[in-house]
Amino acid sequence: MNPDRTPERLRLDAALDRVAVTFRGMTARPDEQNCECHWGGAEDLARLKVPDAELSPDRLRAAWQAEDWDDHASVLRRILPQLSTALAGGRAESLFGIEEVGYSLALGEWWQWPAEQAAAVREFLHAWWAHTLTGPDPAVPAHEVLALCAEASTTLSPWLHTWEAHTHAVADRHLAEAVAHWEYRLLGDQLPWESWNWGNEEETRTELTAWLICHAPVRLRAQNAPAELLHRVRLLGLTGPARWEDPHWPNRTY
């Protein structure tokens, strides 16, 4: 199948079109202000108040990254058509990890927006996640998209349920890559991405760990993952001395 014509690609394209239509013509508030160090000069600020004007990559990043807008939600609605396209194409710039964009979306409380707007954001996130799991070479690695979606929605469960339902080899390979990326911090009892979701880090880490213990071993074996990676997942199910005295405990400190 043509990779540009898969159902997941078509769904993502439709979701991007929906975002573009839903948020077309929106602007920041006429009286919106921000300091130059966080945003830019008066000309840059004025551009946010012009509907549909393209922003440079650095101004786009500054727009979603600044936390001190008077009306953060309005700024997000203004930039969402360009931001969603940049995210799906792997072109969104972030200083500390793409999950920062998820936090920005959560800060705007998009789920409380008018129903049509909230539905457009929700469908974009789900369509992007499904496309990522089925794409052999996604523009953004699956573990990064998961972190962003979890931060944006302040919940991990629906995204893990989707991964659980995708049992094909491509999704399994993404899982093996994610485990390799995550295991260091998870074995140190830390969430493997920076979270700003109001103190839910421990709950999220516990859920992710439990899901991996249950679902990862069979899928990793199907990918002929290294034995040591399987041992890392097994160690996640141990605590205290049983974990760090295990013969397969890696030689590392936290």
Side-chain angles (χ1 to χ4, degrees):
M1 180 179 291
N2 185 332
D4 293 330
R5 302 296 296 173
T6 64
E8 293 79 13
R9 178 71 249 185
L10 294 174
R11 180 186 178 187
L12 177 57
D13 288 343
L16 290 169
D17 288 344
R18 184 177 180 181
V19 168
V21 170
T22 301
F23 297 99
R24 180 177 298 153
M26 296 195 176
T27 67
R29 281 176 18 183
D31 60 347
E32 185 64 77
Q33 297 292 324
N34 212 318
C35 66
E36 291 193 13
C37 63
H38 283 172
W39 168 250
E43 182 178 346
D44 293 321
L45 186 62
R47 199 165 182 80
L48 276 181
K49 302 170 186 179
V50 176
D52 308 320
E54 191 83 359
L55 303 178
S56 66
D58 64 320
R59 290 303 90 199
L60 180 65
R61 177 184 56 77
W64 62 256
Q65 195 169 49
E67 300 179 18
D68 50 356
W69 297 111
D70 293 331
D71 189 342
H72 187 81
S74 290
V75 172
L76 281 179
R77 287 190 286 264
R78 161 64 178 83
I79 67 172
L80 262 171
Q82 185 178 349
L83 177 59
S84 59
T85 299
L87 287 170
R91 299 186 301 276
E93 298 181 0
S94 173
L95 294 178
F96 302 108
I98 200 169
E99 63 268 22
E100 279 191 290
V101 182
Y103 167 68
S104 180
L105 288 170
L107 190 63
E109 297 183 325
W110 58 269
W111 52 85
Q112 294 188 7
W113 297 354
E116 182 180 2
Q117 296 176 9
V121 176
R122 184 178 297 107
E123 173 58 12
F124 164 66
L125 293 173
H126 281 278
W128 183 29
W129 180 226
H131 180 260
T132 299
L133 289 177
T134 55
D137 187 25
V140 181
H143 64 269
E144 294 185 14
V145 178
L146 177 72
L148 185 150
C149 290
E151 291 293 307
S153 60
T154 71
T155 181
L156 184 60
S157 299
W159 317 104
L160 292 181
H161 292 332
T162 298
W163 209 339
E164 188 176 333
H166 283 274
T167 56
H168 48 79
V170 173
D172 290 352
R173 187 169 73 249
H174 292 322
L175 181 58
E177 293 168 354
V179 173
H181 182 83
W182 289 336
E183 58 90 7
Y184 178 89
R185 292 192 62 170
L186 284 175
L187 284 173
D189 292 328
Q190 305 169 63
L191 187 65
W193 61 81
E194 295 300 324
S195 178
W196 294 268
N197 272 332
W198 306 290
N200 293 334
E201 297 92 337
E202 182 61 19
E203 178 182 338
T204 303
R205 181 195 66 81
T206 300
E207 181 179 2
L208 178 60
T209 298
W211 188 85
L212 289 173
I213 292 169
C214 180
H215 297 283
V218 170
R219 300 179 72 161
L220 293 184
R221 291 189 189 98
Q223 288 297 307
N224 296 313
E228 282 305 306
L229 195 59
L230 287 163
H231 280 299
R232 299 288 196 271
V233 176
R234 180 181 60 81
L235 288 169
L236 289 174
L238 306 177
T239 58
R243 177 182 288 183
W244 61 74
E245 292 178 2
D246 187 277
H248 290 279
W249 173 255
N251 184 22
R252 59 175 66 147
T253 57
Y254 289 92

